[in-house]
Amino acid sequence: MYDITIIGCGVIGASIAYSLSAYDLKVCILEQENDVAMGTTKANSAIVHAGYDPEPGTLIARLNVRGAQLMEELCKKLSVKYNRVGSLVLAFSEKDRAHLEKLYDNGVKNGVPGLKIISGDEAREMDPQLTKTVVAALYAPSAAIIDPWGLCIAEAETAVRNGAELHCNAKVTGLEQKEDSVVLHTAAGDFETRYVINCAGGWAGEICALTGKEEWESALARGEYYLMDKSSGSLAKHVIFQCPTEKGKGVLVSPTVHGNLIVGPNATPVEDPYSRETTLSGLDEVAEAARLSIDGIDLRQCIRNFAGVRAIISESDFVIRPAECCPRMLHVAGIKSPGLSAAPAIAEYVIEQLQTMGLAFQKKESWIDTREQIRFKELSQAEKEALIKENPRYGRVICRCETITEGEIVAAIHSPVPPCSIDGVKRRAGAGMGRCQGGFCGPRVLDLIARELGKSPFDVLQDGEGTKLLISETKGGTAE
């Protein structure tokens, strides 16, 4: 029997697992996909929000600001890319300027450091590509950009190294409450546990319903994005927001930790968490909005369009509380933006809630709280030469766009939470993230996965289940 089982291994589930792995607890993580970070975590704006948006006094406000405070040190420990670039919220009218005042007041009450409202000219001095229609801006120096799936993977790996068990392809289909435990029925078998954490993202409402009561109404919104080539990466020096609307924080333009530029998202209601397609109308909406913020943005430099689906519930605040009909289940639901920013603080708060529910916590005598990842292209010449001498695989470049070596890919394949797909390697090592988006290195990565895992190339996936690339063999013995 497990002490605690986490349903869902996006960045929230992984953050909770990482924090729980510091204690003498038997922890299980159930993920319905074939890898971690497969939902909202892999398709979002990758922003650590400063914390001026949430209404003061809410759980969102408290956990956003606390999470932003924790994030830089956490990323440093886990070798996750993070850059505190600051953000600007743009005003294009006097009505917008009044909204900036409200955001400023919120931020001050929430404890956000260094906030100030600046003129349009001052904003253009900070970010010269801003349009002349900008009349004022709210500057938040504590905002940052991050690698969201990198954080999720790093935390999941570290939790596993500390003894947590991760089970992928384990969609929860039912639950049975016993006197002192809960049995979770899944596609991978049954799991008995003393406590359950429901952080299933877009599926959290379904997990809640399994307890016998639907505690909130659920909705979903799809957001579409442009990912721009690195030649456009310097167009924005800060995270550039527009004044938020009832649909959310609106279309942003932001640098990424990998040197690109990200533009988006819109917000389109959808019914299916898998509705991740991009549309001409949606991308046109994003493009039109982005041009209000940045002059000279050339969307022909886009190297990839993608979409993510985020969960929206009828409650305005985060839902982090025991289930009404299952006293051994803790809901962690409705974790909309700024959920990524709040993730480390959510994990802290979850532990507090579990203590009030009766779970005893005792720190381990030794806990691994760090993870190191070699990024060959960031090493000095002397470090590169020494590494190649030790392991010649680091001298063979597989991904030319990003200068990712065979050594880095092999290390990812044999990591504590190994990838089972080409995109899984991409999220861990970076191969395929460049201008050609895997057009050159994809087949070579496929071969490495097959070689290292002893699999047939026909069984290697592009990403999720059902995405095989090779389907037959020609008479000459080559794959198609």
Side-chain angles (χ1 to χ4, degrees):
M1 183 189 296
Y2 298 97
D3 291 306
I4 193 153
T5 296
I6 302 165
I7 301 174
C9 199
V11 72
I12 305 301
S15 295
I16 294 168
Y18 170 77
S19 295
L20 287 175
S21 72
Y23 299 91
D24 281 321
L25 296 168
K26 190 173 182 183
V27 178
C28 175
I29 314 159
L30 301 177
E31 169 53 51
Q32 68 176 357
E33 304 289 349
N34 63 2
D35 199 0
V36 305
M38 291 287 280
T40 304
T41 298
K42 77 170 183 179
N44 60 73
S45 303
I47 306 300
V48 179
H49 295 278
Y52 48 76
D53 278 296
E55 286 297 319
T58 61
L59 193 57
I60 292 180
R62 170 185 160 189
L63 298 181
N64 182 172
V65 175
R66 173 64 176 160
Q69 291 170 348
L70 295 171
M71 192 67 80
E72 184 170 10
E73 180 61 25
L74 176 64
C75 289
K76 183 177 180 180
K77 282 185 176 182
L78 297 176
S79 191
V80 174
K81 286 182 174 290
Y82 170 100
N83 190 4
R84 190 186 296 270
V85 296
S87 66
L88 293 169
V89 183
L90 307 182
F92 301 99
S93 66
E94 290 306 310
K95 181 181 178 180
D96 284 349
R97 192 194 298 267
H99 196 82
L100 293 189
E101 295 284 355
K102 183 180 186 303
L103 293 178
Y104 175 83
D105 290 341
N106 279 357
V108 171
K109 292 174 183 176
N110 292 343
V112 179
L115 283 177
K116 61 179 178 179
I117 294 178
I118 59 177
S119 68
D121 288 339
E122 288 174 314
R124 279 181 286 273
E125 286 180 11
M126 296 175 65
D127 240 304
Q129 297 296 333
L130 293 179
T131 61
K132 293 180 180 179
T133 55
V134 176
V135 298
L138 175 66
Y139 174 52
S142 61
I145 53 178
I146 192 175
D147 176 355
W149 55 84
L151 176 61
C152 178
I153 291 166
E155 290 186 309
E157 285 184 358
T158 309
V160 169
R161 289 174 66 203
N162 282 294
E165 293 183 19
L166 171 65
H167 297 269
C168 291
N169 298 306
K171 180 179 176 62
V172 175
T173 56
L175 64 82
E176 178 186 351
Q177 296 189 55
K178 295 188 175 182
E179 184 177 351
D180 297 318
S181 66
V182 177
V183 177
L184 297 170
H185 306 301
T186 83
D190 292 347
F191 297 82
E192 187 171 5
T193 183
R194 294 173 60 211
Y195 292 90
V196 182
I197 301 176
N198 170 22
C199 49
W203 292 266
E206 294 180 17
I207 300 300
C208 178
L210 294 177
T211 69
K213 183 175 182 180
E214 296 182 7
E215 298 183 29
W216 58 80
E217 294 181 7
S218 299
L220 300 166
R222 181 180 64 229
E224 298 166 67
Y225 292 87
Y226 288 86
L227 180 66
M228 309 295 289
D229 185 66
K230 290 182 178 180
S231 60
S232 299
S234 61
L235 273 179
K237 300 181 185 302
H238 304 81
V239 181
I240 307 299
F241 295 105
Q242 298 168 2
C243 277
T245 69
E246 66 279 357
K247 290 186 176 182
K249 294 182 176 66
V251 171
L252 62 82
V253 179
S254 173
T256 74
V257 291
H258 302 102
N260 302 87
L261 191 78
I262 190 171
V263 182
N266 60 344
T268 303
V270 294
E271 295 183 359
D272 185 353
Y274 288 108
S275 295
R276 301 169 187 165
E277 65 273 14
T278 56
T279 64
L280 179 59
S281 60
L283 292 172
D284 283 347
E285 179 185 353
V286 170
E288 183 179 358
R291 292 189 179 105
L292 294 175
S293 300
I294 297 288
D295 274 331
I297 187 167
D298 182 3
L299 295 174
R300 293 174 298 178
Q301 296 301 312
C302 175
I303 60 173
R304 192 176 190 91
N305 292 116
F306 67 93
V309 175
R310 53 192 183 271
I312 302 169
I313 66 171
S314 53
E315 299 190 28
S316 59
D317 210 345
F318 288 161
V319 172
I320 306 178
R321 63 175 185 243
E324 293 180 17
C325 295
C326 184
R328 291 184 172 271
M329 176 180 286
L330 180 70
H331 291 313
V332 184
I335 311 298
K336 57 188 177 182
S337 178
L340 171 61
S341 314
I346 289 173
E348 285 185 339
Y349 188 69
V350 162
I351 289 175
E352 293 175 13
Q353 296 303 300
L354 290 171
Q355 288 173 325
T356 65
M357 292 169 67
L359 183 61
F361 286 83
Q362 182 175 342
K363 280 277 191 179
K364 289 178 178 175
E365 291 184 5
S366 60
W367 175 49
I368 302 168
D369 66 344
T370 61
R371 183 204 68 153
E372 294 184 6
Q373 182 176 12
I374 294 173
R375 296 186 177 92
F376 183 80
K377 65 182 176 183
E378 297 177 6
L379 301 178
S380 68
Q381 187 61 34
E383 289 170 327
K384 289 177 180 177
E385 292 173 359
L387 185 59
I388 292 171
K389 185 175 181 180
E390 179 184 344
N391 185 345
R393 286 176 171 172
Y394 284 94
R396 293 192 282 273
V397 173
I398 301 298
C399 174
R400 293 177 179 177
C401 296
E402 296 295 306
T403 319
I404 308 298
T405 65
E406 181 179 349
E408 292 165 274
I409 294 170
V410 171
I413 293 171
H414 295 291
S415 64
V417 181
C420 61
S421 67
I422 295 170
D423 282 359
V425 169
K426 176 181 179 179
R427 289 186 288 273
R428 287 161 174 80
M433 290 190 68
R435 180 174 291 178
C436 83
Q437 287 290 290
F440 172 77
C441 67
R444 303 178 74 186
V445 172
L446 185 150
D447 287 341
L448 288 174
I449 294 172
R451 184 192 78 189
E452 293 298 314
L453 298 182
K455 300 175 68 171
S456 165
F458 292 97
D459 293 330
V460 176
L461 302 172
Q462 178 67 46
D463 200 5
E465 290 301 319
T467 60
K468 290 183 179 180
L469 291 180
L470 304 180
I471 58 174
S472 66
E473 191 171 296
T474 66
K475 290 181 180 180
T478 59
E480 289 184 338

